[in-house]
Amino acid sequence: MPIAGRDMTLFIQQLLRERGEPIPADQSLETAKRIKERYSYVCPDIVKEFKKYDTDPDKWIKTYKSVNPVTSQPWQCDVAYERFLAPEIFFSPEMYSSDYLKPLPVLIDEMIQSCPIDTRRGLYGNVVLSGGSTMFKDFDKKLKKDLKKIVDRRIQRSAVDIDVVSHEFQRYAVWFGGSLIGNSPEFVTACVTKEQYEEYGPSICRQSKVFAGV
């Protein structure tokens, strides 16, 4: 999926600019990143979430404060809809990009459906979250809910159990998994040396055991 944490940051930056928030230009990107990390969350129903903010803005709209490092002048901006709209791009990517329109739950379902039929039930019951962009509050609940809807639409009264797993290594799961592989005895047999790469170029990677089943 060609959408990641940086896209969320850029989306927040865009929303803040469109609303005319008084953020110094040289702090715009960093401010968007901090707002993403500090205030963002996943909502179960985007329409109801808009209504919550419109009905009680004092409760839901936050204030981000900072100081301009050049002028030493303090400034602040409102943090509103972008709190829940930023993570929503994983579930409704069309609001951010016209080039990629496939939601994450649909992508996961398609990947599982492309696997051997006798493995699918186990895969639906073991969707493991990985990466910082999956750390937002209720990300796992929304993914599970949307994935369940897709399966139920295809199979009426589906008995397939959907489980989305959050875990303590979630933020660094990719690195952690890579480190385990790197420490395995088999790892060296799949490596390409610098000398080999310089002699044969990128095409040598196609001879790697990693791609044997591709």
Side-chain angles (χ1 to χ4, degrees):
M1 186 176 193
I3 294 178
R6 181 169 177 80
D7 296 287
M8 291 177 59
T9 301
L10 294 175
F11 188 44
I12 291 175
Q13 183 185 40
Q14 174 188 330
L15 293 173
L16 293 171
R17 282 176 174 171
E18 290 176 352
R19 199 166 63 242
E21 293 294 338
I23 303 172
D26 57 344
Q27 291 182 263
S28 178
L29 187 62
E30 183 62 25
T31 297
K33 180 181 178 182
R34 291 183 180 275
I35 287 174
K36 175 188 72 176
E37 295 172 347
R38 189 177 301 177
Y39 297 111
S40 292
Y41 64 92
V42 175
C43 68
D45 188 313
I46 194 170
V47 175
K48 290 181 179 179
E49 209 67 18
F50 272 114
K51 289 182 179 179
K52 283 165 56 175
Y53 278 68
D54 294 340
T55 303
D56 193 356
D58 291 338
K59 178 180 179 180
W60 297 102
I61 296 178
K62 305 298 181 181
T63 300
Y64 178 84
K65 299 180 180 180
S66 187
V67 176
N68 190 317
V70 178
T71 64
S72 298
Q73 292 295 314
W75 61 269
Q76 65 182 45
C77 70
D78 288 338
V79 184
Y81 301 139
E82 53 274 2
R83 293 185 63 195
F84 60 88
L85 286 180
E88 188 66 25
I89 66 175
F90 288 103
F91 303 94
S92 304
E94 67 277 3
M95 69 170 57
Y96 170 70
S97 170
S98 59
D99 298 324
Y100 187 83
L101 305 175
K102 187 175 294 183
L104 179 60
V106 174
L107 179 62
I108 293 174
D109 179 65
E110 289 181 354
M111 293 301 100
I112 293 177
Q113 285 296 305
S114 69
C115 295
I117 192 169
D118 58 331
T119 67
R120 295 174 190 172
R121 186 180 293 272
L123 292 173
Y124 279 117
N126 193 36
V127 178
V128 182
L129 297 180
S130 170
S133 295
T134 66
M135 300 287 291
F136 297 104
K137 182 178 180 293
D138 293 335
F139 188 99
D140 55 340
K141 293 179 181 178
K142 185 174 179 71
L143 180 57
K144 180 177 180 177
K145 177 183 175 183
D146 289 2
L147 192 54
K148 180 66 175 174
K149 285 182 179 178
I150 295 171
V151 174
D152 287 347
R153 278 200 300 266
R154 185 170 55 247
I155 309 173
Q156 291 187 349
R157 297 180 181 179
S158 168
V160 177
D161 292 326
I162 309 293
D163 193 18
V164 177
V165 182
S166 296
H167 52 95
E168 60 180 318
F169 297 112
Q170 192 168 320
R171 181 181 292 275
Y172 305 108
V174 174
W175 181 90
F176 186 73
S179 68
L180 289 177
I181 295 175
N183 285 324
S184 66
E186 296 82 9
F187 178 70
V188 293
T189 66
C191 290
V192 173
T193 66
K194 181 174 182 291
E195 290 75 15
Q196 289 174 318
Y197 185 86
E198 290 177 343
E199 181 178 355
Y200 297 101
S203 62
I204 194 174
C205 294
R206 290 297 173 187
Q207 303 171 22
S208 171
K209 293 182 179 180
V210 175
F211 296 99
V214 178

